[in-house]
Amino acid sequence: MSRPGSPSPTPSVGLMLPPLSSPPGRGGLMPPRLPSNLIVPTAGSLSVPNPGGLFPLPNSQQLASGSATGIPRNKVALQKGFSIMDWVRLTKSGKDLTGVGGPRVNGKIREVTREELAKHKTRKDSWMALNGAVYNVTAYMNFHPGGWDELVKGAGIDATDLFNEVHRWVNYDSMLSSCLVGKLVEGPAPHLAPPVPPILLDEDQTDNPSPISGNSRFFKMFTSFCSSIPVIPPIAVRPVPTYDFFQTDNKLTINIYTRRKGLTKENFIVDNFLHSVRIVCLFPDKTGFMFHHELSDRVLGSIAVRVGSGGKLELDLVKQTPSRWQNLGKPLELDSWFGNIQDMKLTYRKYTVTRVENCTHDTKHVVLEPVYSTHLVVPPGKHIHIRGEREELELVRSYTPVIPLNSGTDSEDSELHFLIKIYMDGAFTPLIDDLKIGDELELSDYTGDFNINKLKEFSQIYLIAAGTGITPIARILPLLSGVKTTLIYFNKTIKEIIRISLCGYL
């Protein structure tokens, strides 16, 4: 099932280089071969997005088979010595992975034209542009989880659209900081000679050209072309949400008018930071809206969310000190942002570990509670990105939450439950294995294109899962009660089978 959504435009790049004497940023690494007083620019210093994790490209082997979330997770088997941690060690080895001596030329960031970028499009010489930054990914080819043959499809071009369509949340800036060649710029337009119009002859006179007439080839071609032009329907205008607020001495109500029908509480993610409020709106028409305000005064941690039939969101907050505010406060970053969800910046929030249990010999049941008051209801088939750090490298992995069997499928409990298989030689799950009560992790908004209504159109469905891949499927099974459904569940051994009823989670 293909993922809907049109490619997003590549954002423009405003160069923002740090001073040469400033310390390196958290996301950048300093290649030892460069002079010690030079800072290695990262995509962040080029004013480009900085999400987190590894990335596959569309149509890669990672996306070759279906999944309940719509974002399959298949990976190719990497050769020994080409794990993510091996890549981390290589980036810190001092080897010049840019192939050009670093991203600066005479103290200025290197400018790479599209013409120059196009020259580097093979496995052994591969440059790729992502959100305005150009990377030499040649050394990364054998480390790519989707296989080098898929990564090379983005070589020599601006691969931003390919990247954003699949995993806009990934941290290429951190992963490829040692491969940064420079920034992508528009070069001079190539000179093209104007096309020479063909000589059109009358059907009956091939020796002498005749003026255009009703019997001429040109006239027939022209009228045929005009009659075949399709009528383009008008483009639907997507309404832009607005907001206002009401208050009493003790209460504050923030209203968001989405001008969309059929919305539920799942379409809104609310973070109450006591001194500020952030509301992320995710709509069925693939658009999103963000409200982000610093409040005039502090509020308590409680929140109440209501959604009307016309798509109006009402958020009730309790003032910490009874009073009348002069205004709501002041807007913060990305306030009133509206556009396609695939172009929307993912927001993260801190969660605290409240429970860690063994579900099987290699599967952990992890329970997380938000540090601040958060309203986040993850729909079936969607997943959450969990962000952590290992050896100074930011890593992100996506997991599908499970819910307690006794809470129903529409639970609004603020806790999030995960069943995560631990791979001791993996890059991320050792972090999960070491979690203790009170530790903190960062969790994103939910993502994914899965639509349960598409499955309900079929009379019979076969679902295939292996290991912890049962977690997204278990969430949707209760919603397919009217469809004949067969689940095929694979495990290496009996002891690895996750027994949903024993674990107590769906």
Side-chain angles (χ1 to χ4, degrees):
M1 197 178 296
S2 62
R3 305 183 73 240
S6 59
S8 58
T10 304
S12 60
V13 176
L15 185 59
M16 296 176 60
L17 291 177
L20 295 181
S21 58
S22 62
R26 178 171 173 265
L29 297 175
M30 183 175 294
R33 289 191 177 186
L34 294 178
S36 59
N37 66 332
L38 287 182
I39 302 303
V40 177
T42 63
S45 66
L46 297 179
S47 296
V48 298
N50 185 21
L54 286 173
F55 64 93
L57 293 176
N59 304 317
S60 74
Q61 298 177 51
Q62 287 180 274
L63 303 180
S65 62
S67 80
T69 62
I71 306 291
R73 303 173 185 171
N74 296 342
K75 299 179 181 180
V76 299
L78 298 177
Q79 299 178 9
K80 186 177 181 180
F82 290 93
S83 69
I84 183 174
M85 299 316 299
D86 292 317
W87 172 253
V88 172
R89 286 185 280 272
L90 177 60
T91 61
K92 295 181 179 181
S93 67
K95 183 177 180 181
D96 178 22
L97 301 182
T98 69
V100 291
R104 291 185 186 271
V105 179
N106 298 325
K108 296 182 179 180
I109 191 70
R110 175 180 287 100
E111 295 185 347
V112 181
T113 64
R114 293 180 184 271
E115 182 180 10
E116 176 64 25
L117 176 65
K119 297 177 181 179
H120 306 271
K121 57 182 180 180
T122 67
R123 179 184 181 182
K124 295 184 178 181
D125 180 19
S126 179
W127 290 12
M128 178 184 298
L130 293 173
N131 288 311
V134 178
Y135 299 94
N136 184 344
V137 296
T138 308
Y140 184 62
M141 283 290 172
N142 291 331
F143 293 87
H144 183 238
W148 69 266
D149 54 332
E150 296 301 328
L151 182 61
V152 79
K153 292 179 180 179
I157 64 173
D158 184 348
T160 302
D161 289 342
L162 301 178
F163 175 87
N164 288 337
E165 285 177 7
V166 181
H167 285 307
R168 61 190 172 91
W169 45 271
V170 301
N171 189 352
Y172 57 86
D173 183 32
S174 175
M175 184 66 62
L176 301 176
S177 59
S178 295
C179 305
L180 183 63
V181 173
K183 69 173 182 178
L184 184 65
V185 298
E186 296 292 341
H191 176 72
L192 298 177
V196 178
I199 297 176
L200 301 175
L201 303 179
D202 186 87
E203 285 183 335
D204 300 325
Q205 295 180 351
T206 57
D207 295 331
N208 299 313
S210 65
I212 296 176
S213 66
N215 293 326
S216 69
R217 291 182 183 178
F218 176 82
F219 184 81
K220 289 184 177 181
M221 291 171 59
F222 179 76
T223 55
S224 175
F225 171 76
C226 292
S227 63
S228 65
I229 297 178
V231 177
I232 301 177
I235 300 176
V237 178
R238 297 176 296 186
V240 179
T242 59
Y243 62 82
D244 61 19
F245 76 98
F246 297 97
Q247 64 172 323
T248 65
D249 287 345
N250 298 302
K251 190 175 75 170
L252 172 71
T253 299
I254 299 174
N255 303 308
I256 296 183
Y257 304 91
T258 68
R259 301 162 66 189
R260 289 163 172 81
K261 295 182 179 180
L263 302 183
T264 68
K265 293 182 180 180
E266 293 179 348
N267 296 107
F268 303 95
I269 302 172
V270 180
D271 293 301
N272 175 9
F273 300 112
L274 305 183
H275 55 82
S276 65
V277 172
R278 180 176 61 200
I279 305 174
V280 177
C281 310
L282 304 173
F283 303 130
D285 61 2
K286 305 298 181 183
T287 61
F289 177 78
M290 184 179 294
F291 170 92
H292 194 193
H293 255 65
E294 179 181 332
L295 302 176
S296 288
D297 203 350
R298 295 177 70 87
V299 295
L300 300 180
S302 61
I303 58 175
V305 175
R306 299 186 302 277
V307 180
S309 59
K312 176 185 175 182
L313 169 73
E314 295 179 291
L315 172 63
D316 291 337
L317 303 169
V318 178
K319 296 178 179 179
Q320 194 174 88
T321 303
S323 65
R324 285 278 179 167
W325 297 356
Q326 294 296 320
N327 51 56
L328 180 59
K330 62 180 181 180
L332 297 175
E333 180 187 14
L334 298 179
D335 179 67
S336 298
W337 186 96
F338 174 75
N340 294 326
I341 289 179
Q342 69 177 24
D343 301 328
M344 194 175 191
K345 180 180 179 181
L346 274 179
T347 60
Y348 282 79
R349 56 206 47 85
K350 290 183 179 180
Y351 274 70
T352 301
V353 178
T354 58
R355 195 181 348 153
V356 180
E357 300 173 338
N358 290 323
C359 188
T360 69
H361 74 288
D362 62 356
T363 302
K364 297 277 189 179
H365 168 216
V366 181
V367 183
L368 303 173
E369 179 79 20
V371 173
Y372 294 96
S373 184
T374 294
H375 166 82
L376 172 57
V377 181
V378 182
K382 308 294 184 178
H383 48 272
I384 295 288
H385 308 300
I386 301 179
R387 185 163 67 184
E389 189 173 286
R390 186 178 180 191
E391 295 189 21
E392 299 181 356
L393 177 67
E394 186 180 278
L395 299 174
V396 176
R397 292 294 182 270
S398 58
Y399 295 99
T400 304
V402 294
I403 60 175
L405 285 170
N406 59 6
S407 68
T409 57
D410 57 350
S411 172
E412 293 185 33
D413 190 347
S414 61
E415 289 184 335
L416 289 178
H417 300 253
F418 297 90
L419 298 180
I420 300 177
K421 184 173 183 178
I422 306 300
Y423 298 90
M424 299 313 298
D425 58 345
F428 189 82
T429 53
L431 295 175
I432 303 297
D433 192 44
D434 292 337
L435 287 177
K436 299 178 179 59
I437 305 300
D439 288 348
E440 290 186 356
L441 290 171
E442 291 184 303
L443 273 64
S444 76
D445 311 330
Y446 66 78
T447 62
D449 288 328
F450 177 79
N451 186 347
I452 187 65
N453 293 324
K454 292 183 179 180
L455 292 185
K456 293 180 179 179
E457 298 173 357
F458 297 92
S459 59
Q460 185 170 0
I461 295 175
Y462 291 88
L463 301 174
I464 302 175
T468 51
I470 190 67
T471 54
I473 287 182
R475 284 290 308 276
I476 68 174
L477 280 175
L479 305 177
L480 298 175
S481 56
V483 182
K484 184 179 180 181
T485 304
T486 302
L487 171 62
I488 305 174
Y489 184 34
F490 295 91
N491 285 278
K492 292 182 180 179
T493 63
I494 294 179
K495 67 178 182 178
E496 292 179 333
I497 297 177
I498 299 176
R499 302 179 186 277
I500 300 299
S501 59
L502 292 179
C503 292
Y505 292 87
L506 186 65

